[in-house]
Structures are given as structure tokens and as C-alpha cells.
Amino acid sequence: MTRTDVPSAAPAGLREQAARYALLPLRIFLGVTFVYAGLDKLTDSAFLSASGPGSIGELMHGVRDTSAIPALVDWALLSPVAFAVVLAIGELLVGLGVLAGLLTRIAATGGALISLSLWLTVSWQVSPYYYGNDLIYLMAWIPMILAGAPYLSLDSVIRSRRSRRTA
């Protein structure tokens, strides 16, 4: 029996549509999550403090000796509040970029770099490794880096307008 002999559970058009929009749920999830994470940090006065319970400073001091790259934590501790603000704004911009589908590959690369830095610092000591969520986020960004947002995105609108101008 060949592949074409196997009856299909879904019509070809539906399969093509599903394949076309396969990354959309991932894009929405990552975008909403990063927008929420950025806003959560920016509106949490305890987090945006150099010291005290729930502060970025306390968090960074707590993970410094168990991180894969203690020098990265030391660098953040030079100005923990500024680091927290940059991190939060970065998460917000990444999330908005991915949700809108604007410069999606660049935004996804930013998301991957944020996730990588958090994995190497904050969640490095989590054992077994698959309990740490930052590594999972890092892997989730890879399809977005590779594929971008070809549909339902500002990138596709811009691409369409460019191709009409050149035609």
C-alpha cells in the first residue's frame, strides 16, 4: 500500500491550512507569555529593587554560585535595577514583535537569547534539567527563528507590498 492509498482523515485543503498555520499557536503563546513577563516585572516594585524580598538583587545573589556563568550574574549585579528594567523591556518588545509578526526572526532571536541567559543563570541548577522552563522556552524559539511569521503578520504584509512594487 502506498502513501496515496491510505485514506486521509482530513481533506487535503484542511491539511494544507493546518500546516500553513502550524506555528501560529506557538507564536501566540510565546508572544503573550513574554509580554506578560515584561509587564509583570515592570509593575512589580519589589522586583525592581536592588535588595529585599522578591527583588532582582536577591534573585541574582541567590543564583550566583549555582549558575553556569557566574560572571554573567556578577555583570548584572553591577546595576541590578537597570538590568531588570532592560530585561523587562526586552521581554515586552520580543513579545509584541512576535505577536504582531514584525521582524519576527529578530524578535525570536531576542527571545532565544533572553531564554538562554536565564537558563544559564537562574534555572541552571534545576535538576533534572527538564524541570527548568527556560531551556524549554529556548527550544520553542528555534522554529520561530527558522520560519519567522509568514502568515497573519506585519512581516507578510510588508513582503506582499514589496513584491507588488517590484512587479
Side-chain angles (χ1 to χ4, degrees), residues 149-151 153-164:
Y151 303 104
S153 67
L154 291 176
D155 288 343
S156 65
V157 170
I158 293 166
R159 197 171 28 257
S160 169
R161 286 186 180 170
R162 281 184 187 159
S163 64
R164 272 190 259 138

Side-chain angles (χ1 to χ4, degrees), residues 1-81:
M1 184 180 275
T2 64
R3 174 88 174 131
T4 56
D5 295 336
V6 177
S8 172
L14 185 57
R15 282 194 313 270
E16 289 170 9
Q17 286 288 82
R20 176 182 233 183
Y21 297 107
L23 289 180
L24 189 58
L26 181 63
R27 187 174 128 208
I28 292 168
F29 170 76
L30 290 171
V32 167
T33 301
F34 268 59
V35 166
Y36 179 80
L39 290 175
D40 188 46
K41 287 175 179 70
L42 288 172
T43 58
D44 185 350
S45 59
F47 183 78
L48 293 176
S49 300
S51 61
S55 69
I56 183 70
E58 181 181 271
L59 173 68
M60 298 309 281
H61 282 293
V63 300
R64 194 247 176 241
D65 293 333
T66 58
S67 73
I69 307 174
L72 187 60
V73 178
D74 291 339
W75 177 75
L77 282 169
L78 293 174
S79 183
V81 175

Side-chain angles (χ1 to χ4, degrees), residues 59-121:
L59 173 68
M60 298 309 281
H61 282 293
V63 300
R64 194 247 176 241
D65 293 333
T66 58
S67 73
I69 307 174
L72 187 60
V73 178
D74 291 339
W75 177 75
L77 282 169
L78 293 174
S79 183
V81 175
F83 175 77
V85 169
V86 168
L87 174 63
I89 291 172
E91 288 175 333
L92 187 59
L93 291 175
V94 163
L96 290 172
V98 169
L99 280 174
L102 180 62
L103 302 172
T104 308
R105 287 186 169 112
I106 293 169
T109 300
L113 290 172
I114 290 170
S115 297
L116 176 63
S117 66
L118 292 174
W119 176 56
L120 292 174
T121 55

